[in-house]
Amino acid sequence: MAGQRGTGQRRAPQPGPQEQIAEKLFSAAEARQKFTEPVTGLRALQKFTEAYGNLVLCSLCLQNRYLVISEKLEEIKSFRELTCLDLSCCKLGDNHELLEHITKEALSSVTRLLLKDNCLSDAGLRKMTAPVRVMKRGLENLSVLDLSCNPEITDVGIGYLFAFKKLNYLDISETGLKDVKAVVQRLQTQINLIHSKVPLKEFDHSNCKTEGWAEQTVLQWEQLAMKTIKPQENLKSRTAAQHFYGKRRRIEEPVKCTLEQTKSQASANLQFYKDKVQNCLFPLLKKEAAASHQLKKNKEKALTEQEREQTSKQKHTCLTMEDWDLLNTY
């Protein structure tokens, strides 16, 4: 569920005294469901995210939750510095406002983006990659991308993905490719992605969780969205009436997300990964890569804890007295 506490290895930076106070204030407002209010809740959430970034939310799972997206779109757009975003099975389409927002510089921190079963086409991929291709900004840090179960994506659309230079994992299973062999070859030669013979754990959606101060807030949004759906109790009376008048009950099957359907056969699996050691036939390149990695490691060790703390604190702006007065009203 969206409000589930994450158990992954990724952890947010240890908060300082001011962050701890802010978290308690956030939790108090959350307990009173203040962030579900249309105007004041949105404004308060924006203030928190402006000041504390990924502490408020670093990972957001909206898998199969289109109602939450439609009801709380502005609130979702207020989250900054997300690293993981799961929009699987939301049927957003090429022109949805949220997809346009994802490509903006505000979410350049996203490294994992899951867009399985979203009615995307080549036109959608062209728009999604345009900021990276033209202005070298947007989703330039993307490492994991899931585009599976979007049958309108063809060989042409795959070409736009070459702009993602940091892409390490890609899933294009069950898309509308015409020449699969040629696409596999292009991905390997253009961005060094290797076709995997087995399903990759990076595309196991059970690992994607909502993480941050706003975990329970997202859960509250989901519960409110579910209340807009007609309760099952009301359906029982309609069924009884149909039975009384001799009408045949219409079979209503819920629309199933393809994520829950039977997994595709291995032959249809089109998942790709980047080999950690590229160009194994060239030992010199391997040595240079190892030397570069060691140099980077040494530099990281040289950083003191005090410098790291200062860097973390400078990353987020502090709240003004006016902002604190507003938030203290909760």
Side-chain angles (χ1 to χ4, degrees):
M1 292 181 68
Q4 219 173 347
R5 296 284 175 180
T7 57
Q9 293 182 348
R10 181 180 64 257
R11 292 183 181 179
Q14 289 298 321
Q18 183 178 350
E19 286 80 5
Q20 290 176 355
I21 295 172
E23 183 179 6
K24 290 180 180 179
L25 183 60
F26 188 96
S27 297
E30 187 179 60
R32 298 170 63 187
Q33 298 194 0
K34 290 295 182 179
F35 297 116
T36 61
E37 298 175 2
V39 180
T40 56
L42 171 60
R43 188 180 172 191
L45 190 62
Q46 289 172 337
K47 290 296 181 182
F48 271 107
T49 54
E50 285 172 9
Y52 300 106
N54 66 350
L55 289 175
V56 177
L57 213 63
C58 63
S59 177
L60 178 59
C61 178
L62 294 173
Q63 179 190 128
N64 204 23
R65 292 176 176 88
Y66 180 77
L67 279 176
V68 177
I69 294 174
S70 61
E71 292 290 330
K72 295 295 179 181
L73 179 60
E74 291 305 315
E75 285 83 350
I76 292 169
K77 287 168 60 178
S78 72
F79 292 125
R80 300 187 176 196
E81 299 183 30
L82 288 174
T83 57
C84 177
L85 180 59
D86 188 349
L87 298 174
S88 303
C89 309
C90 287
K91 313 283 187 183
L92 298 180
D94 292 333
N95 301 312
H96 197 279
E97 189 177 342
L98 181 55
L99 289 180
E100 183 182 348
H101 173 71
I102 291 171
T103 64
K104 293 182 178 178
E105 197 170 355
L107 281 180
S108 61
S109 57
V110 172
T111 60
R112 188 180 183 195
L113 180 60
L114 308 177
L115 294 172
K116 180 173 186 172
D117 191 16
N118 264 288
C119 305
L120 299 177
S121 69
D122 295 341
L125 291 189
R126 182 171 60 85
K127 287 193 289 187
M128 189 173 75
T129 59
V132 181
R133 289 185 288 109
V134 179
M135 298 174 287
K136 308 300 179 185
R137 64 187 184 189
L139 292 169
E140 72 270 18
N141 293 312
L142 203 59
S143 176
V144 179
L145 177 61
D146 186 355
L147 294 172
S148 60
C149 301
N150 288 288
E152 296 300 315
I153 294 177
T154 69
D155 312 43
V156 176
I158 300 302
Y160 297 126
L161 303 181
F162 298 155
F164 296 137
K165 302 301 182 183
K166 297 182 181 180
L167 196 61
N168 292 324
Y169 298 94
L170 174 66
D171 190 351
I172 51 174
S173 306
E174 298 184 60
T175 52
L177 302 182
K178 306 299 181 184
D179 190 343
V180 174
K181 187 176 180 181
V183 170
V184 171
Q185 182 65 28
R186 288 178 67 196
L187 286 171
Q188 185 163 354
T189 55
Q190 297 276 353
I191 51 177
N192 301 315
L193 287 177
I194 301 170
H195 184 204
S196 176
K197 304 301 180 184
V198 296
L200 298 171
K201 63 179 181 180
E202 282 73 18
F203 299 108
D204 182 358
H205 290 251
S206 63
N207 292 328
C208 187
K209 305 271 192 303
T210 297
E211 297 181 83
W213 296 351
E215 293 173 18
Q216 295 304 315
T217 299
V218 177
L219 181 59
Q220 289 171 1
W221 294 344
E222 183 181 351
Q223 291 170 343
L224 285 174
M226 293 302 292
K227 287 181 180 179
T228 64
I229 301 176
K230 199 170 185 179
Q232 192 67 29
E233 286 74 16
N234 293 343
L235 295 177
K236 291 180 181 179
S237 59
R238 187 181 70 179
T239 304
Q242 288 174 340
H243 181 73
F244 178 80
Y245 288 107
K247 293 182 179 180
R248 186 176 179 182
R249 185 174 66 88
R250 184 176 64 182
I251 299 175
E252 298 179 353
E253 293 185 0
V255 178
K256 292 185 179 179
C257 168
T258 53
L259 191 62
E260 299 170 356
Q261 293 176 355
T262 306
K263 292 184 178 179
S264 305
Q265 296 179 353
S267 59
N269 177 61
L270 283 176
Q271 295 181 350
F272 298 82
Y273 67 96
K274 187 172 289 184
D275 199 354
K276 292 182 180 179
V277 181
Q278 297 292 339
N279 302 318
C280 296
L281 297 178
F282 301 94
L284 181 59
L285 290 179
K286 287 175 64 178
K287 288 182 181 178
E288 288 180 356
S292 176
H293 177 72
Q294 186 61 38
L295 182 62
K296 185 179 178 181
K297 197 173 180 181
N298 292 338
K299 284 182 179 179
E300 288 178 354
K301 286 183 179 180
L303 286 173
T304 63
E305 291 298 325
Q306 184 177 0
E307 288 172 337
R308 291 180 190 228
E309 243 180 78
Q310 289 175 352
T311 304
S312 177
K313 286 181 180 179
Q314 290 172 0
K315 191 174 182 182
H316 307 297
T317 60
C318 293
L319 291 177
T320 63
M321 290 302 297
E322 185 182 352
D323 296 335
W324 279 105
D325 290 340
L326 168 67
L327 297 173
N328 278 322
T329 61
Y330 295 114

